[in-house]
Amino acid sequence: MAIDQFIANEVKSNDVVLFMKGTPQFPMCGFSGQVVQILDYLGVPYKGLNVLENDELRQGIKEFSNWPTIPQLYVKGEFVGGCDIIREMFQAGELQGLMKEKGLAVKEPQA
């Protein structure tokens, strides 16, 4: 299977996919770690794909999204952004809104 088909399949068959350096349990860069923390805080189930294990995937995801950096977050097949965009959306409450809009349950913050 060509790498772009693999990526398209992962993005289509998982509600939330994070292309990252390392794994959700062991992020290998600070930016990937920040996005993992945000997703874990929101309690949204997601699939993490480690681009460090496969050079073809690492290059392929950049071409697939036309976005130069990793991590990259996809929600319901739609590219949302990298670390800075995800962090800004989270801080503004937009990421939580996007997840709910797409039909995904988000943990509500404890009052």
Side-chain angles (χ1 to χ4, degrees):
M1 181 186 299
I3 197 67
D4 57 333
Q5 289 175 310
F6 171 80
I7 293 168
N9 189 48
E10 289 296 327
V11 166
K12 264 187 241 142
S13 54
N14 296 285
D15 286 344
V16 183
V17 184
L18 178 62
F19 291 87
M20 61 182 293
K21 293 179 180 174
T23 64
Q25 296 75 23
F26 297 103
M28 301 292 275
C29 89
F31 299 114
S32 291
Q34 285 181 34
V35 177
V36 164
Q37 282 184 321
I38 290 168
L39 292 174
D40 287 348
Y41 178 84
L42 293 177
V44 176
Y46 63 96
K47 180 170 187 177
L49 290 168
N50 184 358
V51 301
L52 298 178
E53 289 177 346
N54 181 330
D55 247 10
E56 201 181 356
L57 178 60
R58 189 178 190 167
Q59 277 313 112
I61 190 60
K62 293 175 185 182
E63 291 164 15
F64 184 83
S65 62
N66 201 21
W67 190 260
T69 59
I70 292 162
Q72 294 185 13
L73 183 67
Y74 287 80
V75 176
K76 294 278 189 166
E78 181 185 321
F79 176 58
V80 179
C83 181
D84 291 346
I85 292 170
I86 300 303
R87 189 175 54 237
E88 287 167 18
M89 287 178 71
F90 171 70
Q91 289 168 343
E94 294 168 11
L95 186 61
Q96 298 86 319
L98 173 74
M99 297 287 185
K100 288 177 183 172
E101 197 178 285
K102 300 280 186 181
L104 301 167
V106 175
K107 250 195 303 196
E108 294 302 324
Q110 304 305 312

